[in-house]
Amino acid sequence: MDTVVAVYTGQGLAEPLKKQFDELLPGVRLVNIIDDSLIAEVVREGEVTPGVKRRLMQYYQHGADLGASIILNTCSSVGEVASDARPFFDIPLVKIDESMAVEAVESYRTIGVVATLPTTLQPTMRLLRQQAEQRGKSVQLIDGLAAGAYDALVSGRPDEHDRILMETAVKVAEQADALVLAQGSMARMEAQLAERVGKPVLSSPRRSVLAIKRLLEAERTVR
């Protein structure tokens, strides 16, 4: 049985991703490693600290030691750590937002990047630029920081979080061909946002699981 080890920096995405795996990869063993102190430290310090990097590298290694066929990094705020870690492993290390970024830069010229944390917004914008550059594409990125939404969510005010996020998305969509949701946890609003803004809205969880499915299928053909 193939095993995917998913590394989380917070609690919120584990159950939604499990539903995607149950639907798309029901025969795959999914193992979760969750350390919610990671995102707390990134938010508090405003950057990915050396301590966060060390712990993530340890978790990736734990995943490999558990017999992972693939490691899934589920947090866009620390995606650059996953990129740096790839040369140290002989199994794929999938970044949750990479397939989304590829689709966005291949399909759209002006992309609004919506996030509730600056520590997620900036890495996502860098990822989009990197993917565009690799493909010889020219893209314009629009900063869509939904200021105050994250604080509302962690303070137990999800309705306020959703309102701020919606207002930000509507404003950004006026200037963009499509929207990218920088955090996987925002995927629950993908359809609602698309209906409201009338433009394509891309989120990462399902696309990352489909990418893993393609990798596993390719590996099976080699076997």
Side-chain angles (χ1 to χ4, degrees):
M1 178 183 292
D2 289 310
T3 297
V4 174
V5 175
V7 178
Y8 296 85
T9 64
Q11 301 278 353
L13 194 52
E15 189 57 34
L17 260 177
K18 182 180 183 302
K19 291 178 180 177
Q20 297 290 343
F21 273 91
D22 288 346
E23 176 189 346
L24 299 170
L25 289 169
V28 169
R29 174 181 174 235
L30 177 63
V31 178
N32 294 332
I33 297 175
I34 302 175
D35 179 353
D36 56 10
S37 75
L38 292 168
I39 194 63
E41 185 168 330
V42 171
V43 173
R44 183 178 68 247
E45 300 298 328
E47 63 181 359
V48 178
T49 64
V52 166
K53 293 177 184 177
R54 283 195 300 271
R55 299 205 297 282
L56 281 166
M57 289 292 290
Q58 290 168 351
Y59 295 141
Y60 300 149
Q61 185 60 58
H62 291 332
D65 293 342
L66 284 165
S69 309
I70 291 174
I71 298 169
L72 172 61
N73 181 82
T74 70
C75 178
S76 296
S77 289
V78 300
E80 288 163 338
V81 180
S83 295
D84 292 341
R86 280 173 167 165
F88 297 98
F89 296 91
D90 57 5
I91 56 175
L93 206 168
V94 172
K95 294 161 55 173
I96 190 170
D97 52 3
E98 197 159 48
S99 289
M100 175 184 69
V102 170
E103 182 179 337
V105 301
E106 287 187 339
S107 304
Y108 307 105
R109 173 101 188 247
T110 306
I111 303 166
V113 186
V114 183
T116 64
L117 285 169
T119 52
T120 312
L121 178 67
Q122 294 306 320
T124 302
M125 294 180 77
R126 287 194 292 270
L127 175 64
L128 288 160
R129 291 190 188 100
Q130 289 165 1
Q131 294 298 330
E133 184 177 344
Q134 288 174 15
R135 288 160 177 78
K137 301 281 187 177
S138 175
V139 297
Q140 179 184 357
L141 303 181
I142 300 171
D143 177 328
L145 181 63
Y150 179 80
D151 289 339
L153 186 63
V154 298
S155 300
R157 306 191 309 276
D159 290 344
E160 184 176 351
H161 165 275
D162 292 357
R163 177 186 61 77
I164 295 171
L165 184 57
M166 182 66 75
E167 289 175 356
T168 302
V170 169
K171 183 177 179 180
V172 172
E174 293 174 356
Q175 310 168 63
D177 301 324
L179 299 182
V180 159
L181 303 182
Q183 287 141 263
S185 58
M186 299 161 69
R188 64 182 180 82
M189 293 187 67
E190 180 177 357
Q192 182 181 354
L193 288 166
E195 182 178 359
R196 177 69 181 274
V197 304
K199 293 182 179 178
V201 177
L202 282 63
S203 67
S204 58
R206 188 176 183 86
R207 287 174 173 83
S208 69
V209 179
L210 287 169
I212 289 170
K213 184 176 182 179
R214 291 191 293 270
L215 285 170
L216 291 174
E217 289 172 347
E219 178 62 25
R220 288 176 193 137
T221 61
V222 172
R223 293 177 201 162

